Amino acid sequence: MAAVLESLLREEVSVAAAVRWIARSAQSSEDDPGEAAALRSLRPLRKEFVPFLLNFLREQSSRVLPQGPPTPAKAPGSSAALPGRPGGPSRGGRGARSQLFPPAEPSSAAAAEAPPARRGGRRRGPGPGRERGGRGPGGLEEGVGGESPPWAAGRRRRSSGSPGSPGRARSDPPNLSNLEEFPPVGSLPPGPAGTKPSRRINPTPVSEERSLSKPKTCFTSPPISCVPSSQPSVPDTSPWGHGLPPGCRSLQEEREMLRKERSKHLQQSPTPACPTSESGSPLPSRTGNLTAEAADPARVSSRQRLELIALIYSSCIAENLVPNLFLELFFILQLLTARRMVAAKDSDLEPTPGAPDSLESPLFQSVHDCVFFAVQVLEHQFDKGTLKLLAENERLLCFSPALQGRLKAAYEGSVAKVSLAMPPSAQAVSFQPETDNRANFSSDRAFHTFKKQRDVFFEVLREWEDRHEEPGWDFEKGLGSRIRAMMGQLSAACSHSHFVRLFQKQLLQMCQSPGGTGGTVLGEAPDVLNMLGADKLGRLRRLQERLVAPQSSGGPCPPPTFPGCQGFFRDFILSASSFQFNQHLMDSLSLKIRELNSLALPQPEPSDEDGESDVDWQGERRQFAVVLLSLRLLAKFLGFVAFLPYRGPEPPPTRELQDSILALRSQVPPALDVRALLQQGLRARRAVLTVPWLVEFLSLADHIVPLLDYYRSIFVVLLHLHRSLVLSKESEGEMCFLNKLLLLAVLGWLFQIPTVPEDLFFLEEGQLDAFEVDTVPSEHGLDGMPVVDQHLLYTCCPYIGELRKLLASWVSGSSGRSGGFVRKITPTTTTTGLGAQPPHTTQGLQAQLAQAFFHNQPPSLRRTVEFVAERIGSNCVKHIKATLVADLVHQAESLLREQLVMQGQDGGDPAQLLEILCSQLCPHGAQALTRGREFCQKKSPGAVRALLPEETPAAVLSSAENIAVGLATEKACAWLSANITALIRREVKAAVSRTLRAQGPEPAARGERRGCSRACEHHAPLPSHLISEIKDVLSLAVGPRDPEEGISLDHLEQLLGQLGQTLQCRQFLCPPAEQHLAKCSVDLASLLVADQIPVLGPPAPRGLERGQARRLLHLLLSLWKDGFQVPVPLQLLLSPRNVGLLADTRPREWDLLLFLLRELVEKGLMGRPEIEACLGSLRDAQWPKDFSEELATLFNLFLAEPPMPEPQLRACELVQTNRGTVLAQS
Amino acid sequence: MILTKAQYDEIAQCLVSVPPTRQSLRKLKQTFPSQSQATLLSIFSQEYQKHIKRTHAKHHTSEAIETYYQRYLNGVGRNGSAPVLLELANEVDYAPSLMARIILERFLQDHEETPPSKSVINSMLRDPSQIPDGVLANQVYQCIVNDCCYGPLVDCIKHAIGHEHEVLLRDLLLEKNLSFLDEDQLRAKGYDKTPDFILQVPVVMLCSLAVEGHIIHWIESKASFGDECSHHAYLHDQFWSYWNRFGPGLVIYWYGFIQELDCNRERGILLKACFPTDIVTLCHSIA
């Protein structure tokens, strides 16, 4: 591999040719025959070149980029052998730690041919090696399944103490299990720019196991447990720094040859020329306590070599030959912002007069070299125009989102609506009767169980919100048992689906809100901006802390995580550990993903002038963002649940085991047919929507998934897509720039996920070629529209922010300029192919005509019509329910009442009744269709008219109206014809049970109730107050009471007056209160009759005078007659207990009772027979003898007394005369 | 009548072991003349209920019941018209109505073949005339009318107060032109949890001293004082359930509440002691 680089350095091959050679399998006509020959012979090595180059650069930079405080005792006195220094101390895996990719092992055939090829002397036609890349197990085996430590951040710091020539000062093989040396992500020791992204892959000895695509715990994987406990440390003298298995002959040979070559070609000494320093080229001032070495263009060594390598490197980036664009950018920026070399011991650095430009000497010998290289790379992007956009954009990424976000926020703030200004911390999923009421559950029990579950779910959620940040709080310990108890109650399948719906809605609601995803860009951007503009030490320190503190995004290539609220839902799923729940959840997530993925998203209106469409376009872009973010969230959780049973920290240890697992797993159908969705998405040019969520889904796959044929084919498609997204190409019909960038970012991220085999990226070209066919679709889809903006890009890929952080740490204090400029994005779409979009409903010619009609109209028209049709159709059903069905229900009720009258109160078997009613009423349902049609006809046109712009031509308007009517009718009638009978049945059933229930208790209370008069101002005393007052009177009367306690007569009269008012007003009166008032009034009357009420008055409380008592009784009688609307329990007046009150009075007074009884009869409040019956039963009670006698006399008197015109006076006289001794007490 | 925790504690301190009679209430009013009577009564009632809940069990052991019953029998044997039962209740620090229930149950056990059902007992307590023994009927009646914390009359008063405040609130909503769904309508639609009112269009309630307001989707009326115990029970059984379904809302404790309990505002449960005056409604017309 090095041969290629060597030949480039010797200028045997032009960079352009080399890149063509790398990128394409086919030979280009532009190639110089000589070059082509030279390169063709290297063919088998082609796919290994990029990994080699990247590893080479990492390795080189690792030697010169130590930063931050030296980590002590890392590799004291370690001195890596300079490339090619025979006898140098064994470097073991050390160098490999900085490698991004494993050195690919040529297959035996290729290896055999390789050595001669290196000399460039032998032409090699397309041979067997060319075809070797065919799909199949063999393809996979090409790569080396290396192991790599999780995070290489500490690496550069480690090479402390050997300034200047770190490259030659190492020998100890690193201890990869040493956490200090290889800290996991997030535990970085302090030091800016300490996070160097590199997927360091260590070579693994070639063996039978090699093809297994071993687990790679690349730097993206967080858990310490994933760090391989041992690292194969093979003694290695490779000049390239990667340990090679001893048996690897071809590369060893290659090295030998190189050495010889080197001795032949002596390098010229570096020619110092002033590098065209970019604005970003650092002439760094101090930041904080870290002094950066000033980079001096004049001190760049081996300039020519650097230029060449920069050229080829940037070409690889431009052609998407690197797996992760942003990782490379990050790397370049790291070089650019390198603060200081490790104090380089010049003495240590062996002078390399012999071959200064050969690969033997360290590439980066100083900060100057690093900066030069970085600027070169960046510059090439400018020069070629390839990455001009990127560079612009990169500045934009680095600086302006903050500003932009701020301006945007300020702008929005000025027009903000109330509801948007203060979103609650977390909203709950609202209760919707249509889906959540009793009718949606199989039984009362299920309904009530779910009711409780909803509350438990939110209780758990609230507790999590409150406590999950407390140290020592554990989800499982805190909530696990409660969650499982709750899940345990979800017995019925229907309850599960209800719960899952709640869960999913809540997930979307919480995790989409700005705070939900955790560490969003807008949230922190203003902060960074503040820091950038100021040089206050405190701020800088904060910035530094921010930079070295564990980042939420975890470096430029973080592993998949569940930030913020997502953590709750993940932990909930884990704690619930319910098979049913997971299955229902997967079903539901899949459905929602399909639904959102196929959602018709807006297309820009080409005809609209800028000003107008901007408004719409903003909204549409926002809609796209919402859909995209929802999809990503749903897909992530689908991936999480779907692969949950298979997830484990380690892949299977042996090939046999893996094969058997593969055999098993290949039978399992995927939870969601993502391949089909991906293909559809690509075909419809909606990759910008489909790919990001697919990446989320795949990022949670287990180790086996990428090996399954099904998923492997997906990865291949994604790889091809990645390769095709060349940023510099921006022609008509190409994907928009930011769309591409988003896809590149997410795909690049995916390729770095630990579970994705690292060799996957460098597949054989045979597979790549096939792709071109798939991506030629001509019609325009979302991909060609500027749907992605900076904010969305950052939200989806927070790790891009690492670039900004890196720069921010550098530029702080010096960057007054806002930097960058916003790329103006203009819609490129002009036409939309009609034929390409198959009509959703194939309802024949009319439907096709409708489609054609919409084709030439603005998309908003179509949306409006569809919207109106959808709503009117739905309203139509509700209308039918409220009119036709309601009428039928009324009929049912009256029929039922007739039935009940005929059959007596029982009415017979309810089920039978229902059948009879339904058979009579259901045929009327046929009217529903006619009425529904009328409704749609009537309502739709108006709605369409109201929603379309006024200048819509009349013909277009009427067509739109007609289509809306048609669609609405279609929708409504389809539903009605299928469901009307069931609907009527259900409603009638509910009415029947309602009527039957109403038949039961309290028929009296159902009588017609009078309200208060219109003029009433509701100032009457409150019923509760009256009951309370009367209760006090009763308690005073019944005693015990203090000697001075009593009631004034005025108060009593006032009380009865108030009672009258309250009974008049009724505003606040409820039946129970009225019933109690009625009963209390009867009790009061009894106490009056028995003269038991202590009236206040001089000199002491005493009984009432008879006249006063009668007046009060009169008041009560009239209230009973006219005031109360509930039955008054007057018979209680003659209950043994109340009559017995008289027994205690001495002397006894019977005339008030007799008076009362006569009045009751007189006023028609009680019938004579009723009173007689009461009196009769009174005689049965046990009384003192004299009392019984008097009672009997009263009875006789009452019986003897026929109703008279003026009963009161005469009765009293009668009583008094007849029973003078006993009764005449007045 | 929003009280601080300290103010509340001071009142509660005075209520320890006070019998629920009208005399006690009178005294309480004299002690705290500045507080509203309704608030005092509500606090008294709730404190007493807490007390009864704590001591309930010890009055229901069979030994205790037997002792009470014998003391009752002896008492009425000496003088049937003396307030035997009421004095017994006060003496053993138990609610008179509940004591009446104990004795009535025990009495019926002696006089009926089958143990009395709950509904029979309740019916007799509502209307003591149904009690077969005249003396017991009077004793029971005396207990009920003299008990200001328990018993059918008190229950009815509480119910009435609740109802009245709901009506009051409804009127206020109508007056403010806020359209709403009430409990009955919600139940008819099949809602599983029903606050008193759900606003069909949410409003914002502004709080004094606070710049921002609170969105209100529902309103619950509580005609009682909001103390810790009842508020937490309500939160668990009602308010959070409403929030879980309808979003943030307002609770009106008409008789006041402990200030410190109003701590879930940001979470979406706002407490008030009256209907708020500062309401911002959604404007339909944007000029």
Side-chain angles (χ1 to χ4, degrees), chain A residues 727-755:
Chain A
L727 287 166
S728 59
K729 276 194 228 157
E730 198 173 11
S731 56
E732 188 73 9
E734 265 282 324
M735 196 181 280
C736 287
F737 182 78
L738 282 172
N739 296 6
K740 271 187 200 168
L741 207 55
L742 173 68
L743 293 190
L744 281 178
V746 296
L747 286 172
W749 175 74
L750 178 67
F751 297 143
Q752 299 290 327
I753 298 282
T755 43

Side-chain angles (χ1 to χ4, degrees), chain A residues 1076-1095:
Chain A
H1076 270 90
L1077 281 172
K1079 178 164 180 303
C1080 287
S1081 68
V1082 171
D1083 289 346
L1084 192 61
S1086 293
L1087 289 165
L1088 281 171
V1089 166
D1091 192 22
Q1092 298 267 332
I1093 300 200
V1095 178

